């Protein structure tokens, strides 16, 4: 097995470079947030290969043996979920949404965090659509930040739950994908899911930026087809 192309020294150097004025206590807090993000990414890495194994006919007993847990534990932890058909880029946007919630010290993942997650994935189609309409990533980010609740007092450790409107947006993303005849749920479908959660923070921000559901759907249909024909991921 080849080693990962990342080291502790790399992580330390990057954190120190990005927070040159921070004291050691502030760096501890930031390091914990980044450690949680790495853990979230690791979970999604395992989920990806569990899904692949299930598609090729592997049993839960075999998958549990590969992970090093019981059949029941593997099935409970890695059973098909809301993100199974999400593209790699869209799964990464969910990790970034979780990181955004922790950074803002919120005890929930709201639609604003999901929107920031999409904005943080520059290879995603949603990022292209958002910045084309909003003028720049920075201006869109500022609009989202301004609409979000104030930061909490303390960052939450461990699992952060999705708010009901965020769950609704994820369900709407699946419906948007099916409605367009797609067999994947990409960042563009997540964007459509968010605009259909009309009373949510993200829904309001998207409308303020000038998006409408019908126009966004037409834009997504056109751009997704172009990316798909070019072999790109959404």
């Amino acid at each position: 097995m080849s080693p990962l192309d990342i080291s502790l020294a790399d992580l330390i150097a990057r954190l120190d470079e990005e927070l040159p004025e921070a004291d050691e206590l502030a760096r501890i807090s930031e390091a914990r947030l980044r450690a949680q993000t790495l853990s979230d990414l690791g979970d999604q890495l395992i989920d990806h290969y569990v899904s692949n194994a299930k598609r090729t006919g592997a049993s839960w007993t075999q998958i549990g043996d590969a992970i090093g847990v019981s059949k029941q534990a593997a099935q409970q932890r890695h059973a098909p979920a809301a993100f199974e058909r999400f593209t790699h880029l869209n799964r990464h946007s969910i990790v970034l949404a979780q990181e955004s919630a922790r950074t803002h010290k919120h005890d929930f993942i709201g639609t604003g965090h999901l929107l920031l997650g999409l904005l943080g994935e520059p290879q995603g189609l949603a990022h292209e659509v958002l910045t084309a309409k909003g003028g720049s990533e920075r201006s869109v980010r500022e609009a989202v930040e301004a609409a979000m609740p104030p930061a909490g007092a303390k960052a939450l450790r461990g699992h952060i739950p999705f708010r009901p409107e965020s769950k609704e947006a994820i369900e709407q993303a699946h419906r948007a994908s099916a409605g367009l005849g797609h067999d994947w749920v990409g960042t563009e479908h997540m964007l459509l899911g968010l605009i259909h959660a009309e009373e949510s923070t993200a829904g309001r921000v998207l409308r303020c930026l000038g998006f409408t559901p019908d126009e966004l759907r037409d834009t997504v249909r056109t751009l997704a087809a172009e990316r798909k024909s070019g072999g790109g991921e959404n």
Side-chain angles (χ1 to χ4, degrees):
M1 178 183 295
S2 60
L4 290 174
D5 188 21
I6 190 171
S7 69
L8 176 60
D10 293 332
L11 294 172
I12 292 172
R14 180 169 177 179
L15 193 155
D16 288 345
E17 179 183 352
E18 294 179 3
L19 300 175
E21 305 299 327
D23 61 25
E24 296 307 318
L25 293 177
R27 295 185 190 208
I28 289 174
S29 296
E30 180 62 24
R32 185 178 62 78
L33 291 173
R34 297 190 184 199
Q36 184 63 57
T37 298
L38 289 171
S39 176
D40 292 338
L41 283 170
D43 286 343
Q44 292 203 28
L45 176 66
I46 296 171
D47 288 345
H48 168 75
Y49 287 106
V50 167
S51 295
N52 286 352
K54 288 300 296 180
R55 281 195 291 270
T56 60
S59 69
W60 281 113
T61 298
Q62 292 171 311
I63 291 172
D65 288 342
I67 297 173
V69 299
S70 68
K71 167 188 172 181
Q72 291 77 12
Q75 191 169 14
Q76 182 177 12
R77 170 64 184 80
H78 300 283
F83 307 122
E84 184 180 25
R85 291 175 52 233
F86 273 38
T87 62
H88 296 309
L89 297 180
N90 204 12
R91 290 189 182 200
H92 185 227
S93 80
I94 296 296
V95 171
L96 293 177
Q98 294 169 338
E99 183 175 7
S100 173
R102 289 194 176 90
T103 300
H104 287 82
K105 299 180 180 179
H106 292 158
D107 59 358
F108 59 88
I109 299 174
T111 59
H113 303 119
L114 292 174
L115 192 52
L116 288 175
L118 294 176
L119 199 60
E121 179 43 79
Q123 297 182 61
L125 181 53
H127 183 279
E128 178 182 339
V129 174
L130 284 167
T131 53
K133 190 80 166 180
S136 69
E137 179 179 327
R138 180 176 179 179
S139 60
V140 176
R141 185 175 297 277
E142 288 176 349
V144 180
E145 297 273 3
M148 291 176 66
K154 185 178 179 181
L156 187 70
R157 301 186 65 178
H159 174 70
I160 302 180
F162 288 91
R163 271 195 167 171
E165 58 267 29
S166 296
K167 294 179 180 180
E168 177 192 349
I170 291 169
E171 292 174 2
Q172 291 284 357
H174 281 274
R175 295 191 188 107
S177 171
L180 290 168
H182 297 162
D183 58 2
W184 72 93
V185 182
T187 61
E188 70 278 23
H189 303 118
M190 194 67 246
L191 192 57
L192 286 169
L194 288 171
I195 201 170
H196 282 294
E198 296 181 0
E199 300 306 315
S200 70
T201 296
R204 291 193 296 270
V205 169
L206 290 172
R207 289 196 298 276
C208 286
L209 290 173
F211 287 101
T212 65
D214 291 341
E215 177 198 12
L216 183 55
R217 187 173 186 274
D218 291 341
T219 299
V220 164
R221 180 191 289 111
T222 300
L223 295 180
E226 292 176 358
R227 282 208 177 189
K228 203 65 177 176
S229 64
E233 186 183 350
N234 301 344

